[in-house]
Amino acid sequence: MSTAQQPDPKIEPRPPLSRERVLRAAVELADERGIDSLTMRTLAQRLGVEAMSLYNHVANKEQILDGMVDVVVGEINDAVRGLDAQSGDWKAAMRQRILAARAVLLRHRWAPGVMQSRTEISVPMQRYYDSLIGLFREGGFSMDLTHHAMHALGSRALGFTQELYDDSQPMGPEEIAVLVQQMAGEYPNISAMLREVSHDADTALGWCDDQFEFEFALDLLLDGLEKRRDAE
Amino acid sequence: MSTAQQPDPKIEPRPPLSRERVLRAAVELADERGIDSLTMRTLAQRLGVEAMSLYNHVANKEQILDGMVDVVVGEINDAVRGLDAQSGDWKAAMRQRILAARAVLLRHRWAPGVMQSRTEISVPMQRYYDSLIGLFREGGFSMDLTHHAMHALGSRALGFTQELYDDSQPMGPEEIAVLVQQMAGEYPNISAMLREVSHDADTALGWCDDQFEFEFALDLLLDGLEKRRDAE
DNA sequence: ACCTGAACACCGTTCAAGT
DNA sequence: ACCTGAACACCGTTCAAGT
């Protein structure tokens, strides 16, 4: 406090730049405007600084992306820490953890893509995996089966499915009707599925409930893994 | 042939540029040098032309990426067409199709990433999905369950898992030993798994056999889906 | 109709210079 | 020690000009 100069008390004495602050600003920017909007220049601007100043705190942009992933995985670890009340039910605990991770990722839509572009597995990520592996072991899984289970979960362990197309702006009923009509000749199966499933849908948002589909697939995997465990 | 000028018979009369040729060259370039090496300038160079000439045949780079995906999915459809000899066993047929798709994707390592960046589902992709949906239906799955099944397969339907880290250059035994040691204190579970699994490994390439892990997870899903069908 | 050179707006990053 | 302006090499893309 004694080191702080006060040239003008009206000017917000903006906190000094730091790796920490750079990363937090990067996450906020990506959350708000998308990962493509994150450039060294836009990030610097948000921090009230020139682009080149960032290089005093991070080596390069790759390192910023690394750090951003760690911020998100840190949030996941925080969310997971508060959980496991009941013990003994590995499946419920696993489900709870993974859905908590998913809830965090839904707040950072850019994270899955960036995670997949990383080549090294960071320390916070190791911590998260360690906890999942621990759950499998407590649940009576052999080391070998635990290993296969982790691979089988894949990115789903972190709460994201890699969907095949973007469902972010679902079609309206009339659009679907047109599409069903168009595809009926050449692609009868997909056309029929689209027609039937879109009629059944009671979700207002669109005809695919992402959360439902995620949990369906997760339970499929967990049930299957339990069966493999019992067969060993 | 009468339209062809022959200014010099020694000069290879390079085939005229076309959308087709641009896309094929783009796929080759990405296969050989990676997707990051694919720029309008390097692509043009490979075709013996200036970058700006490409714009006579494609609207922009996004459209090139779209077209590259279609080339790959076209290969998958070709590979799948030659298959289903036996009928009646939906699970074997599905397995066969998906593993054929995987074999194609392994020749185009850039494809998964590019596919996930596309927002629209292309016509060749629709054809492929239509065939999978048809298999589920023939296998006695309800439309609703078929829909969930397609979501549960996710990108695995096309033969790729989204792994959590890059396994392309596996560690040697001594590297693993060091890592196991380092993590033993803070991350006991992951350390123990790494130790045990790396000892069991009989694969020379590394301690994770990607093909095995892929088939393990695929069978887990297919078995689970069959169970859900029988329970309906 | 197709190809080209020059140019533009934008990247990440380097470097010498400021304080 | 930290920040900055100018510059560099590289993108995708536009446009007017060539043939």
Side-chain angles (χ1 to χ4, degrees), chain A residues 20 31 55 74 86 89 146 159 178 188-189 213 219 223 229 232:
Chain A
E20 197 82 5
D31 286 348
Y55 289 90
Q86 82 292 22
D89 188 350
T146 297
V178 170
N189 297 309
E213 304 298 348
D219 290 335
D223 290 349
R229 177 201 64 182
E232 259 195 341

Side-chain angles (χ1 to χ4, degrees), chain B residues 12-53:
Chain B
E12 175 85 25
R14 78 163 189 239
L17 223 48
S18 68
R19 186 184 146 84
E20 197 81 5
R21 238 164 69 74
V22 168
L23 295 182
R24 266 193 303 129
V27 168
E28 283 171 21
L29 187 59
D31 287 348
E32 292 169 19
R33 306 226 194 291
I35 194 70
D36 286 342
S37 307
L38 179 72
T39 72
M40 299 304 274
R41 286 169 175 84
T42 58
L43 178 55
Q45 191 180 11
R46 169 175 278 249
L47 288 160
V49 103
E50 295 301 315
M52 300 71 207
S53 305

Side-chain angles (χ1 to χ4, degrees), chain A residues 27 68-77 104-105 108 110-111 115:
Chain A
V27 168
M68 291 169 73
V69 169
D70 284 350
V71 168
V72 170
V73 179
E75 285 183 30
I76 290 177
N77 283 328
V104 171
L105 284 196
H108 307 291
W110 49 270
M115 282 177 177

